[in-house]
Amino acid sequence: MSTTIRDVAQRAGVGQGTVSRVLNGSSQVSPATRERVERAISELNYRPNLIAQSFASGRTDAVAVIAPFITRPSVVERLRGIERVVTLRDYQFIVYNVETAERRSACLRDVPRRDRIDGLVVISLIPTEAERAHIHDSGVPYVLIDGHEPSGTSVGIDDIAGGRTATDYLLSLGHRRIAFIGDFLDDPLSVNFTSSRLREQGYRTALEQAGIAVRRDYVRHGRHDREVARIIGRELLQLPERPQAIFAASDTQALGVVLAARDLQLTIPDDVSLIGFDDVEIAEFCGLTTIRQPLLHSGIRGAELLFGLIEQPTCSQPHQCLPVELIVRGSTRAAPA
Amino acid sequence: MSTTIRDVAQRAGVGQGTVSRVLNGSSQVSPATRERVERAISELNYRPNLIAQSFASGRTDAVAVIAPFITRPSVVERLRGIERVVTLRDYQFIVYNVETAERRSACLRDVPRRDRIDGLVVISLIPTEAERAHIHDSGVPYVLIDGHEPSGTSVGIDDIAGGRTATDYLLSLGHRRIAFIGDFLDDPLSVNFTSSRLREQGYRTALEQAGIAVRRDYVRHGRHDREVARIIGRELLQLPERPQAIFAASDTQALGVVLAARDLQLTIPDDVSLIGFDDVEIAEFCGLTTIRQPLLHSGIRGAELLFGLIEQPTCSQPHQCLPVELIVRGSTRAAPA
DNA sequence: CTGTTAGCGCTTTCAA
DNA sequence: TTGAAAGCGCTAACAG
């Protein structure tokens, strides 16, 4: 068998409790004893059994993340931020990938358990009222990233303002006929929220403030997918009155529009201006004008908040709103005079 | 406190052991008893404590993955494949992201522990002889993805053949001056291996077989990064005798060449043909000719092999070689006559 | 088929 | 400041 705390205690000539105290950095141990124990530990090359530690202490030293489509660039970037912080604290980083509605419910139901994890981060999936209550009942500290948790801790951006900024920029370039592509409204993964919807709201507000009526045929929705957006983009670009500019609620969808334009032999930005959202890595490569949100940083911040909660479960932080930024690249240009 | 197995036993009027048997699906329980226990479980809304189960059984129901740069599209795709299988088996999926040499060693040293995980997948990082021995000593079943583990279980592709296929295709188009861009040879993360190097070997073999000498100025290396490849690409494309075609050892690097060509106002494929490797998602978008390797599937296969090992630790599988495929898109064309 | 029970390795009282 | 010892909740071996 593996060496246990008993072996160490024996070798050091102390009690198990003392070894445990040394292990956990208690200040209640005399330097001499500590020294003796530490020597025994290194002589025996002893490593405490993590499961046994968890079992006895009730902590798991693990943090879970529930995220939709972990392959999406925006999600990956956030995961990376979380992983960085979690690792720094020597916690395990457990990932749950969600690609269906069933899986979403299953995760939200089964993952929040004190005997499983010490904390939970949820990305881009807004729990229902019942799910939120369930998480709360589980007693697991919990942070939401990319969403707003009214009575909990969350980090996100002002999607409405982002949508407005994007639209205002297109307006400032002289465009009047501005179309919008956003996520499918009945996305089963996002029961009562999508950031896409808020960005659309910003779009609508901006147009209204500019005295431009929102045209039904200019506002389209589809699954968050490049190829779906490509089809929608083609439809928009083939409208009798072609939009001068398109605001896509994500870079992924904006890239679909790039393909649509290519399909129709139209040139961006000469024939149509295009702006995306997120500023994922490929956006720069493609010269896509977009609204940048701090993806990596949202993960870092979210994880930091979570550890705050783990250490101080009572003191819940308010919603954190991260800044967005307009990044102008080559996919937008002024409307011809 | 939470309800325990004792409460259930009491309520069902049976012993703890019987409840445990029901929990673990033992066939040694009479239908009537099972029924009674199950009713007690659901009446009490009992969930077994996972930590306690792990502690008593010695299993952790967790699988760890150590991967470099989890944000790279190729890595993400593999992670997704692994996650899918791991989740299906109701195991926890623990991710360790490696971005430095120190972290690499730390992970390879600390993660393989029976009290932590039941199995380990390593992606694109070849353990040294000592590290391999250490993993073996830990007793944790282990699978390597994207590499060849001589005396262990691994899944990969024939990188040499892939490199040959890519180069042969360029040759078949009539190109003779073919350059190569690959990973930095002293990559601290990949101590004694990079797939890039094998692809280069395929490139060299193909050229030699075609009776073409490999030109030193046509073979370049740099960190696996788009911007680095862009700089290298510019150098290649500004050579007095410009290559007719470039084989990049990864799509990421190929995209750097796309930027380089753009920088120099050169057109792909008219001025230079370009072929990549991997067929990551963006390759299709960019119309990049490339060598496709089954990334998602490598993750799935690797995880399946791992579970084979977990269930049958003795019966180690041989190296699995997945097929690659030439995907012709618009970045290559025949050399002018 | 089922009840009883001895631990699993550690943390954490409780005394000393 | 330390040692002794009582569990943590479960599995698995053993007895019946």
Side-chain angles (χ1 to χ4, degrees):
Chain A
M1 286 313 299
S2 189
T3 85
T4 75
I5 202 172
R6 232 181 308 264
D7 304 321
V8 177
Q10 200 157 23
R11 174 131 191 165
V14 300
Q16 292 182 40
T18 303
V19 178
S20 177
R21 282 178 206 111
V22 171
L23 249 30
N24 295 287
S26 159
S27 56
Q28 306 289 77
V29 184
S30 78
T33 307
R34 175 185 305 281
E35 150 90 31
R36 216 142 33 93
V37 170
E38 274 165 353
R39 202 173 48 239
I41 287 177
S42 79
E43 281 170 358
L44 294 171
N45 192 28
Y46 164 75
R47 297 280 131 207
N49 182 310
L50 297 174
I51 298 271
Q53 278 183 317
S54 290
F55 182 50
S57 68
R59 288 178 298 98
T60 61
D61 291 325
V63 163
V65 181
I66 302 178
F69 300 102
I70 56 168
T71 44
R72 284 191 191 159
S74 61
V75 174
V76 172
E77 218 32 65
R78 297 196 215 261
L79 284 177
R80 179 170 175 234
I82 300 169
E83 198 271 350
R84 184 179 295 182
V85 174
V86 168
T87 283
L88 206 64
R89 304 251 187 172
D90 260 316
Y91 273 63
Q92 316 220 101
F93 177 62
I94 304 172
V95 176
Y96 294 88
N97 182 31
V98 170
E99 302 194 358
T100 65
E102 295 69 44
R103 169 88 171 141
R104 173 187 177 286
S105 316
C107 284
L108 256 16
R109 169 166 41 80
D110 298 334
V111 174
R113 297 182 49 179
R114 293 244 49 144
D115 59 339
R116 213 181 235 290
I117 53 173
D118 288 345
L120 172 64
V121 179
V122 174
I123 300 179
S124 304
L125 294 171
I126 310 298
T128 62
E129 195 56 63
E131 286 164 342
R132 188 179 304 143
H134 173 67
I135 296 174
H136 183 266
D137 290 348
S138 76
V140 172
Y142 147 71
V143 169
L144 179 67
I145 294 180
D146 187 29
H148 186 87
E149 189 64 70
S151 61
T153 302
S154 52
V155 18
I157 57 169
D158 187 338
D159 285 292
I160 298 179
R164 277 186 65 157
T165 303
T167 312
D168 282 339
Y169 178 63
L170 295 175
L171 287 167
S172 77
L173 291 174
H175 299 299
R176 308 282 294 174
R177 299 194 310 278
I178 301 174
F180 173 86
I181 298 181
D183 288 3
F184 193 47
L185 292 177
D186 302 318
D187 183 343
L189 288 190
S190 304
V191 175
N192 54 9
F193 156 96
T194 58
S195 50
S196 171
R197 213 176 294 192
L198 298 175
R199 293 168 193 174
E200 177 178 338
Q201 200 173 315
Y203 157 84
R204 289 175 179 275
T205 306
L207 286 191
E208 278 161 21
Q209 290 209 348
I212 299 176
V214 175
R215 293 171 54 156
R216 282 188 64 111
D217 58 341
Y218 276 8
V219 177
R220 303 294 182 99
H221 305 95
R223 188 158 55 82
H224 186 103
D225 176 274
R226 194 177 65 216
E227 288 306 314
V228 171
R230 180 186 199 162
I231 294 168
I232 295 173
R234 276 202 298 252
E235 289 171 8
L236 282 173
L237 293 173
Q238 288 180 303
L239 247 27
E241 199 168 21
R242 190 170 72 213
Q244 302 167 288
I246 296 178
F247 167 32
S250 72
D251 290 345
T252 297
Q253 287 157 315
L255 294 189
V257 176
V258 169
L259 290 176
R262 201 182 290 168
D263 293 340
L264 300 172
Q265 322 261 22
L266 294 173
T267 304
I268 294 172
D270 296 337
D271 296 312
V272 58
S273 278
L274 175 66
I275 188 167
F277 207 112
D278 288 339
D279 195 32
V280 298
E281 209 235 350
I282 200 68
E284 184 189 5
F285 174 84
C286 296
L288 183 66
T289 296
T290 192
I291 304 293
R292 171 183 296 169
Q293 66 165 317
L295 292 168
L296 175 71
H297 196 254
S298 75
I300 294 175
R301 176 67 65 87
E304 283 170 347
L305 288 172
L306 182 64
F307 281 107
L309 249 34
I310 289 175
E311 281 150 18
Q312 281 285 332
T314 50
C315 124
S316 136
Q317 298 275 348
H319 176 77
Q320 307 260 319
C321 189
L322 268 27
V324 297
E325 183 186 0
L326 171 69
I327 304 291
V328 176
R329 298 202 181 97
S331 69
T332 42
R333 55 161 285 186
Chain B
M1 285 314 300
S2 188
T3 86
T4 75
I5 201 172
R6 231 182 307 267
D7 304 321
V8 176
Q10 200 156 22
R11 173 129 191 166
V14 301
Q16 292 182 40
T18 302
V19 178
S20 177
R21 280 178 209 111
V22 171
L23 249 31
N24 295 287
S26 160
S27 56
Q28 305 289 75
V29 185
S30 78
T33 309
R34 175 185 305 280
E35 151 88 30
R36 214 140 36 93
V37 170
E38 273 164 354
R39 202 172 48 239
I41 287 177
S42 79
E43 282 170 359
L44 295 171
N45 191 27
Y46 164 75
R47 297 280 131 207
N49 182 312
L50 298 175
I51 298 273
Q53 278 183 318
S54 289
F55 183 50
S57 69
R59 290 177 297 99
T60 61
D61 291 322
V63 163
V65 180
I66 303 177
F69 300 103
I70 57 168
T71 44
R72 284 192 191 157
S74 61
V75 174
V76 171
E77 221 26 72
R78 296 194 215 263
L79 284 177
R80 180 169 173 235
I82 301 169
E83 199 271 349
R84 186 180 294 181
V85 175
V86 168
T87 284
L88 204 65
R89 304 252 188 170
D90 261 316
Y91 273 63
Q92 317 220 100
F93 177 64
I94 304 172
V95 176
Y96 294 89
N97 182 32
V98 170
E99 303 194 357
T100 65
E102 293 70 42
R103 168 88 171 142
R104 174 188 177 285
S105 316
C107 283
L108 254 16
R109 170 167 38 80
D110 298 334
V111 175
R113 296 183 51 180
R114 292 244 50 145
D115 59 339
R116 212 181 237 290
I117 53 173
D118 289 344
L120 172 64
V121 178
V122 174
I123 299 180
S124 304
L125 294 170
I126 310 298
T128 62
E129 195 56 61
E131 286 164 341
R132 188 179 306 145
H134 173 65
I135 295 174
H136 182 266
D137 290 348
S138 76
V140 172
Y142 146 70
V143 170
L144 178 66
I145 295 180
D146 187 29
H148 185 87
E149 189 64 72
S151 61
T153 301
S154 52
V155 18
I157 57 170
D158 188 337
D159 285 294
I160 298 179
R164 277 185 65 156
T165 302
T167 313
D168 281 339
Y169 178 63
L170 296 175
L171 288 167
S172 77
L173 291 174
H175 299 298
R176 307 281 294 174
R177 299 193 310 277
I178 302 174
F180 173 87
I181 298 181
D183 287 5
F184 194 47
L185 292 177
D186 301 319
D187 183 343
L189 288 190
S190 305
V191 175
N192 54 9
F193 157 96
T194 58
S195 50
S196 170
R197 215 177 292 191
L198 298 176
R199 293 169 194 174
E200 176 178 338
Q201 200 173 315
Y203 157 84
R204 289 174 180 274
T205 306
L207 286 191
E208 278 161 21
Q209 290 209 347
I212 299 175
V214 175
R215 293 171 55 157
R216 283 187 63 112
D217 56 343
Y218 276 7
V219 178
R220 303 295 182 99
H221 304 95
R223 187 158 54 83
H224 187 103
D225 176 274
R226 192 177 65 216
E227 288 305 314
V228 170
R230 180 185 199 164
I231 294 167
I232 295 173
R234 275 202 298 254
E235 289 170 8
L236 282 173
L237 293 174
Q238 287 180 302
L239 246 28
E241 199 169 20
R242 189 168 74 212
Q244 301 166 288
I246 297 178
F247 167 32
S250 71
D251 289 345
T252 297
Q253 286 156 316
L255 294 189
V257 175
V258 170
L259 290 176
R262 201 182 290 169
D263 292 341
L264 301 171
Q265 322 258 23
L266 294 173
T267 305
I268 294 173
D270 297 338
D271 296 313
V272 59
S273 278
L274 175 65
I275 188 168
F277 207 112
D278 289 339
D279 195 33
V280 298
E281 208 234 349
I282 201 67
E284 185 189 4
F285 174 85
C286 296
L288 183 67
T289 296
T290 192
I291 303 293
R292 171 183 297 170
Q293 66 165 316
L295 293 168
L296 175 71
H297 196 253
S298 75
I300 293 176
R301 176 67 66 87
E304 283 170 348
L305 288 173
L306 182 64
F307 281 107
L309 249 33
I310 289 175
E311 281 151 19
Q312 281 286 333
T314 51
C315 124
S316 137
Q317 299 275 346
H319 176 75
Q320 308 260 319
C321 189
L322 269 26
V324 298
E325 183 185 0
L326 171 68
I327 304 292
V328 176
R329 298 203 181 95
S331 69
T332 42
R333 54 161 285 186

